[in-house]
Amino acid sequence: MSGSRMRSVAYGPLPADTTEDVRALGAGSAPRVAVLPVGSFEQHGPYLPLATDTLVACAVAGEIAGAYPVHLLPPVTIACSHEHAAWPGTVSISSVTLHAVVRDIAASLRRSGVEALVVVNGHGGNYVLGNVVQEASARGERMALFPAPEDWETACGRAGVVTSLLTDMHAGEIETSILLHAHPDVVRPGYESADFVADDRRHLLTTGMSAYTDSGVIGRPSLGSADKGKDILASLADSFGAYFSLLTEGAESAGGERG
């Protein structure tokens, strides 16, 4: 890695890059890839902050930026959390707005020479991000959504996560583990005794989360640990390699031909 990548890639959830760092990153022959964390601002029970999904997305993106030559972007912090509207503090934007924001960011990046964008999603309710990537790819743009369910499955297996992805729906073992590792100062007491399971959620989009949980928790946060969080992030960084290769495949030679 170049000397510019030996620095800390982020200050908390925000990139610490200067414009010269970005210039140096783009000076090589490798195709340029940007990474955009997208989170949410929604309830996560009484022990995790409203910004949990944003912090998780930033932790994943930061791990990626520490391992690959990518342009790390600041997060989108408010997204589609309508199913959590019954809890104080939750704020949402429409799916149309989120779609437009990500598409505008991708267009701005392309104008500055960054042709590929990876959207790192930290909130399951941001369904529209799949459509953003789907439509961009159909237009011939280089975009990907990360992590896929398979990436989470691999990471959970590597980390020894006990809870299934179905049960670990919200403020459970995975999110608690990642924050215990990346931001332990924001995890409040109470997660040790907050387990709640509601696996049959077939009417979630109609009724919202409040029909399935009083606390806002669905999962087993008591099983969370900093070690699991560390291993989850390491595994996701490894999984990202396939995405990086896919987005940069053939782009380097094409760029040389254009030049």
Side-chain angles (χ1 to χ4, degrees):
M1 302 184 89
S2 67
S4 66
R5 301 306 293 170
M6 296 301 291
R7 70 197 187 286
S8 173
V9 296
Y11 179 77
L14 297 177
D17 290 314
T18 67
T19 187
E20 293 305 316
D21 292 328
V22 176
R23 189 194 308 276
L25 184 64
S29 59
R32 299 169 67 186
V33 178
V35 173
L36 175 68
V38 179
S40 70
F41 198 73
E42 66 186 36
Q43 71 83 21
H44 276 77
Y47 51 87
L48 296 182
L50 293 160
T52 289
D53 289 340
T54 298
L55 293 173
V56 167
C58 287
V60 175
E63 196 82 9
I64 289 169
Y68 302 88
V70 297
H71 179 23
L72 180 62
L73 301 173
V76 176
T77 59
I78 296 176
C80 302
S81 301
H82 310 283
E83 69 274 26
H84 299 277
W87 282 271
T90 298
V91 182
S92 291
I93 58 176
S94 72
S95 60
V96 173
T97 300
L98 182 57
H99 189 297
V101 166
V102 176
R103 184 169 179 175
D104 284 356
I105 289 171
S108 178
L109 288 164
R110 289 194 299 275
R111 288 193 293 272
S112 66
V114 181
E115 293 293 334
L117 175 64
V118 179
V119 180
V120 175
N121 182 33
H123 171 49
N126 291 336
Y127 307 111
V128 71
L129 294 178
N131 297 120
V132 175
V133 173
Q134 180 187 49
E135 293 167 16
S137 299
R139 292 191 297 268
E141 300 165 14
R142 292 177 180 260
M143 192 181 294
L145 183 62
F146 182 80
E150 293 84 355
D151 301 315
W152 282 116
E153 288 278 7
T154 298
C156 288
R158 176 167 162 180
V161 170
V162 176
T163 316
S164 71
L165 292 181
L166 172 65
T167 298
D168 194 63
M169 188 262 184
H170 193 69
E173 185 177 4
I174 295 173
E175 290 181 324
T176 302
S177 293
I178 291 174
L179 290 193
L180 284 172
H181 167 65
H183 299 283
D185 53 310
V186 305
V187 181
R188 301 188 184 186
Y191 72 89
E192 304 92 339
S193 57
D195 292 3
F196 183 78
V197 174
D199 283 352
D200 186 346
R201 304 183 298 271
R202 70 188 72 190
H203 303 300
L204 175 66
L205 296 181
T206 301
T207 64
M209 282 279 289
S210 60
Y212 295 96
T213 172
D214 293 330
S215 67
V217 178
I218 296 179
R220 295 191 174 96
S222 68
L223 300 175
S225 73
D227 286 342
K228 290 179 182 178
K230 180 179 179 180
D231 289 343
I232 289 169
L233 293 176
S235 177
L236 291 176
D238 289 343
S239 294
F240 182 78
Y243 293 77
F244 187 81
S245 297
L246 179 64
L247 290 173
T248 57
E249 184 179 33
E252 185 172 350
S253 59
E257 293 171 3
R258 286 195 301 269

